[in-house]
Structure formats: C-alpha cells, structure tokens
Amino acid sequence: MEIFKNFYLKYYQKVFVTCLLILKNTALAEDATQEAFIKAYLNIHTLKDPEKFGAWVAAIATKHSINVYNRNKRILCIEEQKLSEQYLEMNNERLYENEPCSEYLVKERTEEILEVIYSLNPLLKQMIILKYYWMLTDPEIAEMLKMPIGTVKSSLFRARKILAKKMKVKYQEEKLIKGEVN
Amino acid sequence: MNKTEELEKLIKVNLEALIDSPLDMDNEEKWHDFEKRLATHQKESNGNRFWLSNYQRKFGFVAAFAAVFLIILFCSPKTVIGFKNELFTWLGRTSDGDLVISEKYNPKYKEGIFKEISMEEAKGLVVFELKYPQYIPEVFQSPPEISVTSKNEPKSVVSIGFFEGDMLLISKQENVLLLEAVDTYVPENAIVQNIKIRNDLDAVIITLDNSIQVIWTENLIRFTIISRNIKEEEIIKVIEALK
C-alpha cells in the first residue's frame, strides 16, 4: 500500500488534468481520477511494465472519462475558459523559453493550441494525450484501451490533421511578424 | 524538422506545460479520499459476493423447478405444443408470361433423391402442391413408384410411375422458377402437335412409334406425361383427372 501511495501522490495531479481535458468539469474529473486509481489498485497485477504506471492509470482514467462524458454530455458544465486562463497565468514564462518568440506570439499560440485540443472530440483528445504526453506507443495505446491498433493509428492521424489545419493560419501569421515570408 | 515533427513538438510542449503545472491541490487529502473510496468499494464488493451466492442459490431453485415442470409438461400425453407457421413463397411465370406468386406453409424441403416413398411423403418433401391422377388405366394394378429429386432449393422433380409389362405411364411434376429456360429433346421422326387440355391449357403432344409424351405448364408446375403402349385417349383421361 505504501508503494502504491507513492505512485498515487506522484501521478494524481497529472491524471487529474488529463481527465479534466476530456471532461472539462472539475468534480467529474476528480471522480474519474479516483475511480481510475481504484481500478488500478485492484488490477495492479495486470500491469506489465511498472515504469508505465502513470500512463497505465491515465489510460484507465481517459477510458472512464469518455464513458462519463458520453453519459453526461448533455448536462456537462463547461469550464474550459477558466482552465485556459489558469493555465496561461501559470505557464506563460515556461512556454518556448528557448525560442526567440515574443510574449504575444507565445500567448497566442498557447491559447490556440489549447483551444484546438479542447475542440477535439474526447476520443481524439484521449489519443493525443496518451501519445504525446504519456509517451505511449501506438501498440501500447491499443493494448491498454483494448482497441484495434488500426483505430488508434487512424484516430491519431485524424487528430493531427485537425490540429495541423487549425494551426496553419497561426504559423503564417507568426512568420509574417518575424519577416520570414516575403 | 518537417511540419509534422514541428506540430508534434508543439503538441508535446503544450501538453507538458499544461499537465505538469503545479495545481493548488492537497494530494494527501486526495489520498485519504482515495482510501475511503477504496474501503467502500471493497465493502460493496464483498456484499455483492454474498448477494451473488444468495442469488445463485435462488437461481438454482428456480432452475430445478423449471426442469421438473418441463419434464412433466413433455411427458403428459394431453400436452399440446404450438409452433409458428413458416410460409414459403416463390415466384414463377406461366406460359402466357404472367407472373405467379406461390406459397406453401411449413415446407420440409430436403435436398437429395428419395425413392420408393408414399404420396404423402412426397407431398411433404416439396414446396408445391402435388397432383395425383385420379384416373389410371385399369391395366395398371400395381401401386405407383414414387420418387422425388430435390436440388437447388426450392426445385424438385416428382415422378409417379405405373408399370405393367411393356406398358408404362409416368407423371412428372416439377416447379418452374422465374427466368428458367427448359429444353425438350424431340427426335427427328417424332410427330409434334399442340393440343388443348384441362380447361383450355396449351400442351404439346409428341408421338413417336408407340410412345406418347405430353408436356404443359400449369400454375408454375411443369407437367410431363410419359407413356408407352397407352392410347392417346387414355392419356388425356389421366391428364384431365390430375387433382
């Protein structure tokens, strides 16, 4: 139990924010996170790679969040604006700290990528988070979510396509400001 | 770095910044909440296990009662069991080109060749209504030899044959399917005539030496009468008496 507690304390917030991104509701995200940890505790013997504990709980949590989202999608309270503002306040200085971009651009790009990620449907959001934050490979996602690898690949492809399309305009604006485009 | 890699980096950096941000949250408090939830969950789970065993016991009683009831039900000679009717429908075309829809309830179609069967058995093996000649020349005393050849559902050919010495009379009936073409071999020296039978139906009569063959189609059933050493008048009587 003590070992599990250490893992819990290490990953709780990360899993919580992951759920929040899908559910956009603090109470539901908290509930989903706790449920995911309970499932993880009860099924800890099925975890193949202990190093992937966080990703494994996140996969359970995102799956649970999607079920909750589907059950409650008509009555969910949208908190994205609040979360976005909170995020920007906390992270403005950290983002792109090595890149020679102006504060304006950082803020614009951050707002936009957040907006785009929020706009993705829960399944695509789940895939993007598991792939790019939790660093799971496509077969690992497929195994953890118990879905065909083809579905994982096609969902990621779709998500990237949507993100790229929505980001394209901003890239051009950025280049214009930098003077890279004649 | 190509555009995809750039985009992937952008997603990764933003997600990391978002998810790794420290939140104003008491993790110890969350852990206590987790412990409480886990305890409740385990309590409920044990309760469910107890309930399940009760449920299994109750289910066992119900299953045993149902088994006894079914045994009594099936063993009782007064028991009547109802089955739903199965309706078989097929489409065909008459010699005039009219479309006919035929139906039969509860057909027991089986593919294969069935020989030395009774008329009742033959009726049960085909999807169409079989006709039996009510008039047979007196010379035929032996019971008919009946066979059914079924292939390509719902297609069947039924043969009712009477044999006596060098005389024979065979009535063949087969269901004609939509868009089906049938070729009849006619020897060169045979005499072919068109006649009217059974209430103005067109039929073809083929005569060769002492053999007579009559072919016609009636309500999607193709009839063929094959005879040897039987007079034409007798054959017509047999045809008119098919019911």
Side-chain angles (χ1 to χ4, degrees), chain A:
Chain A
M1 196 67 169
E2 203 54 40
I3 298 168
F4 189 83
K5 186 183 176 182
N6 290 337
F7 277 124
Y8 179 93
L9 295 175
K10 186 177 176 186
Y11 291 109
Y12 179 83
Q13 286 198 8
K14 296 176 197 295
V15 176
F16 166 74
V17 179
T18 302
C19 292
L20 190 58
L21 277 169
I22 293 171
L23 288 165
K24 303 173 185 173
N25 180 291
T26 317
L28 288 177
E30 267 193 41
D31 194 58
T33 309
Q34 295 287 32
E35 285 300 312
F37 274 103
I38 287 173
K39 273 188 189 171
Y41 180 79
L42 297 172
N43 297 291
I44 195 77
H45 57 279
T46 62
L47 176 63
K48 289 174 183 169
D49 182 2
E51 284 186 6
K52 298 269 180 183
F53 178 84
W56 179 60
V57 180
I60 297 172
T62 53
K63 205 173 173 182
H64 184 73
S65 296
I66 287 173
N67 289 338
V68 173
Y69 179 88
N70 288 336
R71 279 203 303 271
N72 299 282
K73 59 184 160 187
R74 285 176 190 276
I75 54 167
L76 276 181
C77 171
I78 307 301
E79 294 180 358
E80 58 198 87
Q81 189 57 42
K82 191 177 153 193
L83 185 77
S84 170
E85 281 166 9
Q86 187 186 11
Y87 162 68
L88 285 170
E89 276 169 23
M90 287 187 298
N91 296 288
N92 255 354
E93 287 168 14
R94 289 176 55 195
L95 286 171
Y96 311 106
E97 55 193 11
N98 299 323
E99 290 183 20
C101 297
S102 67
E103 194 182 326
Y104 167 76
L105 279 176
V106 171
K107 194 176 175 181
E108 282 290 296
R109 188 192 264 181
T110 304
E111 273 178 353
E112 199 200 13
I113 191 99
L114 261 181
E115 193 185 302
V116 174
I117 291 171
Y118 278 135
S119 71
L120 291 175
N121 74 41
L123 176 75
L124 301 187
K125 224 182 283 179
Q126 177 190 38
M127 297 293 168
I128 285 288
I129 297 168
L130 293 177
K131 172 90 178 172
Y132 295 109
Y133 179 76
W134 292 100
M135 303 303 284
L136 289 174
T137 61
D138 298 357
E140 282 171 338
I141 297 173
E143 196 194 337
M144 286 184 187
L145 299 179
K146 292 184 175 58
M147 59 169 61
I149 186 135
T151 309
V152 174
K153 283 182 187 292
S154 61
S155 301
L156 280 167
F157 177 77
R158 245 181 333 138
R160 275 194 298 259
K161 201 174 165 187
I162 294 168
L163 289 170
K165 195 179 172 187
K166 291 192 176 179
M167 293 300 292
K168 198 177 171 185
V169 180
K170 283 288 167 189
Y171 278 140
Q172 283 170 350
E173 279 177 10
E174 194 179 319
K175 282 180 180 175
L176 274 170
I177 291 168
K178 281 182 184 175
E180 288 175 7
V181 177
N182 295 322

Side-chain angles (χ1 to χ4, degrees), chain B residues 24-79:
Chain B
D24 186 16
M25 212 176 245
D26 184 351
N27 282 358
E28 282 294 336
E29 194 188 315
K30 299 292 170 197
W31 172 252
H32 289 309
D33 182 36
F34 169 78
E35 282 182 316
K36 275 185 202 168
R37 278 172 181 252
L38 184 64
T40 313
H41 184 87
Q42 284 173 333
K43 205 175 166 183
E44 278 174 7
S45 181
N46 289 338
N48 280 348
R49 236 174 271 143
F50 175 74
W51 180 85
L52 198 66
S53 60
N54 271 348
Y55 172 78
Q56 279 170 334
R57 229 176 291 148
K58 281 177 194 167
F59 181 75
F61 280 123
V62 173
F65 177 76
V68 171
F69 176 76
L70 285 173
I71 289 165
I72 293 167
L73 188 74
F74 281 103
C75 291
S76 166
K78 289 177 186 171
T79 302

